[in-house]
Amino acid sequence: MRFMSTLQEPVLPAAGSDIFGEYDKVVAFASSVILLLAVSAIDKLTGFELRLQVLYMVPVAIGTWTAGRLWGFALSAASMGIWVAMFQTSHNYSSNLYHYWDGGVWLVSMVVFVLLLSRLREELECSNHGLVDVLEKLDAAIYVVDAGRKELLYANPRCRTQFGEQAVDSLNVRPAKECSIRWPDGRHAILRIL
């Protein structure tokens, strides 16, 4: 049974934390590097004929989403550098220039991918904060509970002032209008307007 506190401020989880979990940036980046090296090893074993460049996007995506745009750029450059170095002598192009061109095109593609993914994360965070801003400014007493565990996720100032430190169970028995929503961390939640 969880209680509301009049001092409780809304705390939002990180945007998209349900996708890759909530790990420290160092752990996420280290995992991305290990995955990048594993993809590189598989790519080297399969040879130049089987193009596995799309698999390099997975560690770059994880690194970008969890650690940020700069880490995504670093992983993109590393993936391109590893790919160019691995197939320097085994490519079947008539000139090395074409091999470097292929690597450059790959790098530009990865940079665009990183920019789009980081922008998506930023917009997701803005929409999460927008949701809380709207709920904070409403005149009605509103709270959000986890649909499965009935754990309190959020209570707006009006609800905190009006009901103080009541248990969530006592709030749930009050008549209210409610709707099902998806909370920013991905959990299914119930928004109740008392």
Side-chain angles (χ1 to χ4, degrees), residues 41-59:
I42 293 167
D43 197 13
K44 181 64 176 174
L45 290 173
T46 58
F48 189 76
E49 290 82 23
L50 185 60
R51 303 291 294 253
L52 298 179
Q53 285 179 320
V54 72
L55 293 181
Y56 288 97
M57 294 176 94
V58 175

Side-chain angles (χ1 to χ4, degrees), residues 1 26 65 73-74 76 82-83 85 94 97 102 109 111 134 142 144 149 155-156 163-165 179 183-184 191:
M1 181 177 349
V26 175
W65 193 265
F73 289 148
S76 297
I82 290 170
W83 183 83
S94 61
L97 177 64
D102 203 16
S109 300
V111 165
V134 167
I142 297 171
V144 178
R149 296 185 309 227
N156 74 346
F163 296 103
E165 295 196 16
C179 67
W183 196 240
L191 182 135

Side-chain angles (χ1 to χ4, degrees), residues 8-14 129 132 136 153-155 160 183-184 187:
Q8 186 177 15
E9 291 297 320
V11 177
L12 282 178
H129 291 293
V132 169
E136 288 281 305
L153 301 175
Y154 168 80
R160 293 190 303 261
W183 196 240
R187 287 189 271 187

Side-chain angles (χ1 to χ4, degrees), residues 60-86:
V60 170
I62 293 171
T64 302
W65 193 265
T66 57
R69 182 180 293 156
L70 292 177
W71 293 110
F73 289 148
L75 287 167
S76 297
S79 70
M80 190 275 304
I82 290 170
W83 183 83
V84 167
M86 279 192 316

Side-chain angles (χ1 to χ4, degrees), residues 20-35 59 62-63 66-67 71 75:
F20 299 116
E22 292 186 43
Y23 298 105
D24 186 66
K25 288 182 179 183
V26 175
V27 171
F29 186 72
S31 302
S32 298
V33 169
I34 292 168
L35 186 57
I62 293 171
T66 57
W71 293 110
L75 287 167

